[in-house]
Amino acid sequence: MLTEQGLATMPAVEMVAGFADHTLSPVQVHDAVQAVIEARESVLNAFWVRDPDESRKAALASEARWAAGEPLGPIDGVPVTLKENVARRGVPMPSGNAGTVPVVPEADAPITARVLESGGVVLGSTVMPDWGMLSSGVSSRHGITRSPWNPAWTTGGSSSGAGAAAAGGYGPLHVGTDIGGSIRLPGTWLGLATLKPSYGRIPLDAPYLGRAAGPMARTVADAALFMSVLSRPDPRDWSSLPPQDINWSASAGEVRGLRVGVQLDAGCGEPCDAEVRAAVNRAAALFEAAGAVVEPVEPFMSQDLLDDLDLFWRVRSWNDFRELPAEAKLRVHPSIIRWCQGGADVPGTRVLQCYQQIMRIQERTVAATLPYDLVLSPVAPVAAFPAEQPMPFLEDAKTMAHIGFTAPYNMSGQPAATVNCGLTADGRPIGVQLAGRRFDDLGVLRAAAWYEQNRPAEAVPHWPDSAPGATTGATTGEKTTTLEGEKP
């Protein structure tokens, strides 16, 4: 007999099989997940908004559909969370920032619509840091989101709540967004299987240079299942890829004969810790032992390219910040204020130079990786840092010193996945990034599935499913926002 924890942490592919043969009920699963959330949320602080009564109604409706043999789609009845910047009709969107007046959308985003059309049971909206520009779970509006592995450790960001929910056992499927690493950074620091898909693969309602949304899960198979829903077309995204019939089953691909590049030096930012390098090297050796042709990839980024990308983002956030009323400015996180002030009064000619540098990043990334079917690299140069820290490196000049491996694939639009490949001596997860050629999302997922199935036992995450805070007693004191009629 499965425990509540076992039901809540069951992979989505197994849940759906259980719904189909009537050995599992969507309501049974939903209630188990809610029990886990109630036990852990006071410490993890993953949700901005949740409504257990409404999500239970959705689970009951799914149960009736399965009983009639008429499921809506491939995730009917599966618990799902959506990041707070993914629009849900009527749900405020503060973007993690205490200085903003939250936008209340009048319509669901394409992602939300696809999830609901497929019968997914939306548990709520997960938190993010201010404007998504901190790589941690630190937010001026939400407080601190903490790692289920250890509440003293960061979740990473900006998909901090989604990552905490995935690692914490809040059901199997979670949506994050990523403009420079915001899906993959929680992926590496929480041991998750994630995919930052090709640019335009998942339609958005607010497309932007480098921005993508994607699945965050515990297994590659679940990430692939979720892609079958999220990648469905929507005409509202004028930048999205043409509809394509892709079999997202992501069964492990054959790696023999693949050309695999290994990049251990980003060419910018901070150098990798020895434990991170060693874990990625072990992953590369496994591919080579299986018959892949493994070669080193030289750095293709440079510090000036990373700095100009950073400046471009600073200007963008400064424009948002300067529009706030004087008293609202004081509520923005101090780290964001200091960071975006670096973009104040930058001449238009300089901003255009930064844009041209972004195009150089795109050009260099595609050219350097084109010879390879797959490029393996660290996700970040360090493992998880303290939860209270807004960024991995505290110096203002090093705000983006950790995204040299991730951001290039946002700018080039190439798919990049993460899979856990080891642990540090003190038990912090380490992920390997698997990047592919433009539009080869399926190839990346199949390679990720192969590695997941063949990685050594010491690289397999043993999820921290016991009550969090048992050894540290850490709490946040934060409370989830409730909708009208919701029980907190």
Side-chain angles (χ1 to χ4, degrees), residues 20 29 52 59 70 111 120 161-162 169 204 249 272 275 280 294 326 367 412 445 473 483:
V29 167
E70 298 174 346
I111 287 168
L204 307 175
S249 62
C272 284
E275 287 180 296
V280 174
V294 176
S412 70
L445 281 175
L483 294 176

Side-chain angles (χ1 to χ4, degrees), residues 1 16-17 41 63 73 96 144 177 179 227 229-230 232 266 286 320 358 367 379 403 468:
M1 177 104 179
V16 172
E41 181 61 6
E63 184 172 77
I144 298 172
T177 63
I179 200 170
M227 283 299 295
V229 172
L230 300 178
R232 292 176 183 172
L286 195 64
D320 292 333
I358 292 171
V379 181
I403 63 169

Side-chain angles (χ1 to χ4, degrees), residues 282 286 420-423 451-462:
R282 288 192 295 270
L286 195 64
N420 197 69
C421 68
L423 300 171
Y451 175 72
E452 181 183 63
Q453 292 174 19
N454 289 278
R455 63 187 168 182
E458 59 268 22
V460 177
H462 295 284

